[in-house]
């Protein structure tokens, strides 16, 4: 049997850790690793057109599966292209291992062609970033990188010079057991005792939930029912907590709607569950706040806390539910549910008049039809910008659907690359990329990746020929829009030229049929929908001081962009309110 080289051993370890795909662009220093992948039946090389796509795809795969995913870039410019997608994966707490191939080890530090220092460059967007300087070092260093990515839920980067990758691997390497899953974390007894006391002492409690409530839906509902608490959520908590929720009062934040803001400000005790909600302007400063999070660095960095609880949301609630006293008075809950329904009634009316005849097409109408026609277990990947608004307001969660976006990092062009990673996990599952024309055109080259691998991703393109969110930011700041207009091609014709299904929609009556045809198509498809760039209305009280970029510097300001079927959910929840 031929002796392994370092690259082959590297790939074997990745396969043993559960990695099934390595996304990247082949080249020079990376060639030994790609050749090792070619000869390893347990792992596939996924050739994308841009390394940024590779990192976004790996991050999406990790979020869908909860398992380690991997990407790679060749030396210098190749691995530098990974950095934006790795920032997103790291901030999304997605376990990703990135291979940053490096220049020949003898040339490091001498200004060699394409020289960078990847072990330093990636430190800010990773838990672990180290350089392999000898074959003997590789197995233990790669094991350590994997443990960091999986155990700490984020990115690890391994820099590997091409000449070392091609050297013989050391003999008699001990196969270390690899961490492949995270443990649950139970808070200490003192913190549980203190939280029980705070809950029992409060007349009005509100729960505000983030992505840390994933897997804890049943416990949150049982807990809210016992203490008669309204339940609000951040954008990343929506898919995990809004469905089958009789206590739902909507979402807070820049894209928020309903009564979540009032519920968090009018309570006696606000409990933040698994959320690193960044907009402190939306959080109260005059009520007691307790926060539960498995990441201790999240505790207290957004608001002043009266109690910090380090633990998994599910484990913490399992400790709390049998110990807290059941509350009988539900007046606060019922008042918030009514406020929520009333707030949604007003918003919906603005977007129900002649939407089926309006040209250019209302993007709200597109999102509503998409929500109705998409599969019950569809995966939606969402571009940053106005597509975030439509996903937040119109996609109806049900416990089986997934909604993934650059919700923490806020990068453009994320939806298509994320759809690639999501679709590779299951070709039979419907994956829909909700793309804006600005984001799509930025990494449009990787539409060819869909065609190359015949991935049945459906790109629903909200084409308003502008950078809509940027125009809104300029408007709110009192600036004329400038540099935000896109001169676009017929994207459907581009899709057809690439070998995919493509159709352009300019009238509302064409929309449903075009989406149905795209969903029935067996391969990749793009639906280019010409939407109204002026569709988003904003409250008249917004001042220039209130918005800086995508963040708010003042509270209680929301974008008025419709809410889809959220009103139906609110109305159904009102049936739970006892009548006098």
């Amino acid at each position: 049997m031929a002796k392994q080289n370092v690259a082959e051993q590297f790939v074997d370890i990745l396969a043993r850790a559960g990695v099934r795909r390595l996304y990247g662009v082949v080249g020079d220093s990376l060639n030994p690793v790609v050749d090792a992948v070619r000869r390893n039946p347990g792992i596939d090389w996924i050739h994308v057109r841009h390394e940024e796509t590779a990192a976004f795809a790996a991050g999406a795969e990790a979020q869908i599966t909860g398992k380690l995913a991997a990407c790679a870039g060749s030396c210098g410019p190749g691995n530098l292209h990974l950095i934006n997608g790795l920032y997103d994966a790291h901030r999304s707490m997605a376990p990703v291992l990135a291979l940053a191939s490096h220049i020949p080890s003898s040339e490091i530090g001498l200004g060699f062609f394409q020289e960078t220092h990847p072990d330093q460059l990636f430190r800010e967007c990773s838990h672990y970033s180290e350089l392999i300087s000898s074959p003997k070092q590789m197995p233990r260093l790669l094991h350590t990188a994997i443990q960091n990515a999986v155990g700490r839920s984020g990115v690890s980067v391994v820099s590997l010079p091409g000449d070392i990758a091609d050297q013989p691997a050391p003999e008699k390497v001990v196969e270390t057991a690899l961490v492949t899953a995270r443990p649950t974390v139970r808070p200490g007894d003192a913190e549980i005792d203190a939280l029980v006391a705070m809950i029992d002492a409060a007349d009005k409690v509100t729960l505000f939930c983030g992505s840390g409530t994933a897997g804890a839906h049943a416990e949150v509902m049982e807990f809210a029912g016992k203490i008669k608490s309204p339940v609000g959520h951040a954008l990343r908590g929506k898919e995990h907590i809004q469905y089958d929720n009789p206590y739902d009062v909507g979402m807070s934040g820049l894209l928020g709607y309903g009564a979540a803001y009032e519920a968090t400000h009018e309570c006696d005790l606000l409990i933040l569950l698994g959320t690193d909600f960044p907009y402190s302007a939306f959080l109260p400063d005059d009520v007691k706040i307790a926060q539960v999070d498995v990441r201790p660095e999240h505790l207290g960095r957004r608001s002043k806390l009266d109690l910090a609880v380090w633990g998994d949301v599910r484990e913490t609630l399992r400790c709390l539910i049998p110990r807290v006293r059941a509350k009988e008075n539900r007046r606060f809950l019922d008042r918030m549910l009514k406020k929520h329904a009333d707030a949604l009634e007003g918003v919906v009316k603005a977007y129900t008049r002649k939407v089926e005849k309006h040209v250019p097409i209302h993007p709200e109408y597109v999102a509503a039809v998409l929500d109705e026609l998409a599969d019950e277990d569809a995966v939606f990947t969402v571009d940053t910008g106005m597509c975030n608004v439509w996903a937040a307001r119109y996609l109806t969660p049900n416990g089986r659907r997934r909604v993934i976006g650059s919700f923490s990092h806020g990068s453009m062009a994320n939806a298509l690359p994320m759809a690639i990673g999501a679709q590779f996990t299951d070709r039979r599952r419907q994956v829909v990329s909700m793309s804006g024309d600005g984001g799509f055109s930025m990494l449009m080259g990787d539409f060819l990746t869909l065609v190359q691998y015949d991935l049945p991703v459906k790109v629903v393109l909200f084409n308003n020929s502008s950078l809509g969110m940027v125009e809104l930011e300029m408007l709110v700041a009192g600036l004329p829009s400038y540099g935000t207009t896109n001169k676009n091609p017929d994207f459907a014709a581009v899709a057809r030229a690439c070998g995919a299904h493509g159709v352009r929609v300019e009238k509302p009556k064409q929309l449903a049929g075009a989406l149905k045809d795209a969903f029935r198509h067996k391969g990749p498809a793009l639906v280019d929908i010409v939407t109204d760039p002026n569709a988003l209305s904003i409250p008249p009280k917004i001042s220039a001081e209130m918005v800086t970029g995508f963040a708010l510097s003042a509270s209680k300001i929301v974008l008025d962009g419709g809410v889809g079927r959220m009103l139906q959910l609110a109305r159904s929840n009102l049936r739970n309110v006892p009548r006098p």
Side-chain angles (χ1 to χ4, degrees), residues 49 218-219 307 313 357-358 364 493 541 549 578:
R49 303 305 174 101
E219 287 79 6
L307 180 64
V313 170
K357 298 180 180 179
H358 185 87
E364 302 90 343
K541 294 183 180 180

Side-chain angles (χ1 to χ4, degrees), residues 456-511:
V457 169
K458 314 307 178 190
V459 177
V460 177
L461 188 60
F462 289 71
N463 182 2
N464 62 3
S465 297
S466 70
L467 303 178
M469 184 60 77
V470 180
E471 285 195 349
L472 174 63
E473 293 167 351
M474 289 179 170
L475 175 64
V476 170
L479 301 171
S481 61
Y482 182 75
T484 59
T485 302
N486 296 326
K487 185 175 181 180
N488 290 326
D490 182 334
F491 286 111
V494 172
R496 292 193 297 271
C498 293
H501 174 86
V503 61
R504 186 173 173 91
V505 176
E506 297 181 346
K507 297 181 179 179
K509 64 182 180 180
Q510 301 168 334
L511 178 63

Side-chain angles (χ1 to χ4, degrees), residues 11 14 51 74 101 117 253-254 298 361 419 425 451 477 479 488 490 540 544 560:
V11 171
L14 286 185
E51 289 91 348
S74 59
S101 189
H117 292 86
L254 181 66
H298 290 176
I361 302 169
T425 67
V451 177
L479 301 171
N488 290 326
D490 182 334
D560 182 9

Side-chain angles (χ1 to χ4, degrees), residues 182-514:
R182 288 173 54 85
T184 56
V185 179
R186 181 196 183 280
D189 291 337
E191 286 71 29
I192 293 294
D193 291 343
L195 187 50
V196 168
M198 289 178 71
I199 294 167
D200 286 347
D203 291 327
K204 299 176 293 184
V205 182
T206 293
L207 306 181
F208 187 69
C209 303
S211 61
T213 58
H217 182 275
E219 287 79 6
V220 173
M221 294 303 106
E222 184 179 359
F223 184 57
K226 189 168 186 179
I227 64 172
K228 306 299 184 288
S229 169
V231 178
H233 59 269
L235 177 55
R236 290 191 66 199
K238 175 184 172 75
E239 63 176 325
H240 305 297
I241 215 67
Q242 190 184 36
Y243 68 96
D244 295 338
N245 181 356
Y247 316 107
D248 176 48
V249 290
M251 189 171 80
S252 194
L254 181 66
L255 311 182
Y257 54 83
Y261 181 90
E262 287 81 358
T264 56
H265 282 70
E266 296 180 25
C267 59
D268 302 321
L269 172 63
L270 172 62
I271 304 178
L272 306 175
L273 293 177
T275 179
D276 191 34
F277 181 69
Y279 303 117
S280 56
F282 279 98
L283 296 174
D285 54 14
D286 57 352
V287 304
K288 287 186 176 181
I289 302 178
Q291 184 177 2
V292 179
D293 207 293
V294 73
R295 300 285 286 266
E297 66 270 24
H298 290 176
L299 295 169
R301 74 175 180 177
R302 307 300 185 193
S303 63
K304 178 181 174 295
L305 295 184
D306 295 276
L307 180 64
V309 180
W310 182 10
D312 294 324
V313 170
R314 184 168 62 177
E315 290 302 312
T316 302
L317 294 182
R318 286 177 174 177
C319 294
L320 290 174
I321 289 169
R323 293 194 51 190
V324 296
R325 289 199 302 267
K327 297 186 185 297
E328 301 300 328
N329 187 339
R330 54 175 292 153
R331 283 197 296 270
F332 175 62
L333 169 61
D334 293 342
R335 184 162 59 86
M336 290 300 112
L337 290 175
K338 188 174 187 308
K339 273 194 174 186
H340 179 58
D342 290 346
L344 299 192
E345 289 276 6
V347 173
V348 166
K349 288 176 183 177
Y351 292 92
T352 55
R353 295 174 186 164
K354 301 181 180 179
V355 292
E356 296 181 8
K357 298 180 180 179
H358 185 87
V359 177
I361 302 169
H362 271 311
E364 302 90 343
Y365 178 64
V366 177
V369 175
L370 175 61
D371 179 60
E372 182 179 341
L373 296 180
D375 288 351
E376 291 299 297
D377 65 343
V379 177
F380 298 91
T381 60
V382 183
D383 259 344
T384 297
M386 295 314 306
C387 285
N388 268 204
V389 179
W390 315 136
R393 300 294 181 86
Y394 286 89
L395 296 185
T396 307
N398 58 12
R400 298 170 62 201
R401 286 179 167 180
R402 295 299 311 273
V403 181
I404 297 175
S406 188
F407 299 140
S408 295
H409 187 49
S411 173
M412 283 183 66
N414 62 287
L416 174 62
M418 287 180 166
I420 291 171
Q423 191 71 82
F424 265 115
T425 67
D426 186 350
R427 286 177 172 269
R428 296 168 298 179
R429 190 174 186 181
Q430 188 181 79
V431 176
V432 179
S433 172
M434 291 179 65
S435 297
D437 57 287
F440 178 75
S441 58
M442 185 178 284
L443 284 176
M444 188 166 62
D446 269 293
F447 188 79
L448 295 170
T449 302
L450 301 184
V451 177
Q452 179 156 333
Y453 289 96
D454 196 27
L455 289 174
V457 169
K458 314 307 178 190
V459 177
V460 177
L461 188 60
F462 289 71
N463 182 2
N464 62 3
S465 297
S466 70
L467 303 178
M469 184 60 77
V470 180
E471 285 195 349
L472 174 63
E473 293 167 351
M474 289 179 170
L475 175 64
V476 170
L479 301 171
S481 61
Y482 182 75
T484 59
T485 302
N486 296 326
K487 185 175 181 180
N488 290 326
D490 182 334
F491 286 111
V494 172
R496 292 193 297 271
C498 293
H501 174 86
V503 61
R504 186 173 173 91
V505 176
E506 297 181 346
K507 297 181 179 179
K509 64 182 180 180
Q510 301 168 334
L511 178 63

